[in-house]
């Protein structure tokens, strides 16, 4: 098992940047494919970005391509989501997720473990 803890959320003006981090427990963090998802009030949770075990393959939702960057540091058991040029529609609770198999997963049902989420609010 792995436990995930997100951090880095907050309030930012449109056009600003935030960097989210997700810290994983355990010594086998490098065995997990990871993803970021978000859920806005009244909406379903949606895919944001995903990264494979070694970071060799990455996927993004069309809505964040060119603005968000996912990365991982297995030595530090962390993944990050650098978010630039934020828009009010990016406002949501952001979750990191893990799956203990090799692959690039974009569906939330594909993940086994979830963090508690961190709030991102973008003001116009």
């Amino acid at each position: 098992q792995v436990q995930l803890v997100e951090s880095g959320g907050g309030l930012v003006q449109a056009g600003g940047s935030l960097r989210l981090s997700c810290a994983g427990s355990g010594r086998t963090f490098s065995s997990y494919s990871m993803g970021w998802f978000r859920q806005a009030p009244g909406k379903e949770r949606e895919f944001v970005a995903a990264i494979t075990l070694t970071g060799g393959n990455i996927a993004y939702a069309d809505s964040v391509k060119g603005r968000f960057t996912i990365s991982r540091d297995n030595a530090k058991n962390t993944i990050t989501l650098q978010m630039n040029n934020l828009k009010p529609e990016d406002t949501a609770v952001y979750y990191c997720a893990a799956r203990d198999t090799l692959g690039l997963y974009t569906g939330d049902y594909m993940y086994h473990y979830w963090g508690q989420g961190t709030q991102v609010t973008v003001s116009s």
Side-chain angles (χ1 to χ4, degrees):
Q1 285 191 347
V2 63
Q3 292 184 329
L4 305 172
V5 179
E6 301 96 336
S7 61
L11 173 64
V12 64
Q13 289 187 332
S17 298
L18 281 174
R19 185 178 180 88
L20 304 184
S21 294
C22 174
S25 64
R27 295 174 291 177
T28 60
F29 185 77
S30 59
S31 301
Y32 293 89
S33 298
M34 303 294 296
W36 284 98
F37 291 79
R38 66 187 182 186
Q39 188 167 21
K43 295 187 177 181
E44 293 186 352
R45 187 162 54 191
E46 65 175 2
F47 168 74
V48 175
I51 189 166
T52 50
L53 304 182
T54 60
N57 286 292
I58 289 173
Y60 295 99
D62 287 344
S63 59
V64 307
K65 277 182 183 177
R67 300 188 298 122
F68 290 13
T69 302
I70 187 172
S71 61
R72 68 186 297 163
D73 185 338
N74 288 335
K76 296 181 179 179
N77 285 8
T78 60
I79 64 168
T80 60
L81 185 68
Q82 177 67 43
M83 305 186 295
N84 298 327
N85 190 21
L86 283 160
K87 304 175 181 180
E89 52 264 42
D90 294 319
T91 295
V93 177
Y94 283 70
Y95 300 90
C96 70
R99 177 184 169 113
D100 56 0
T101 57
L102 173 67
L104 199 60
Y105 304 100
T106 60
D108 60 354
Y109 63 93
M110 299 175 176
Y111 287 86
H112 303 141
Y113 307 103
W114 292 84
Q116 83 290 347
T118 185
Q119 176 70 47
V120 171
T121 303
V122 184
S123 64
S124 58

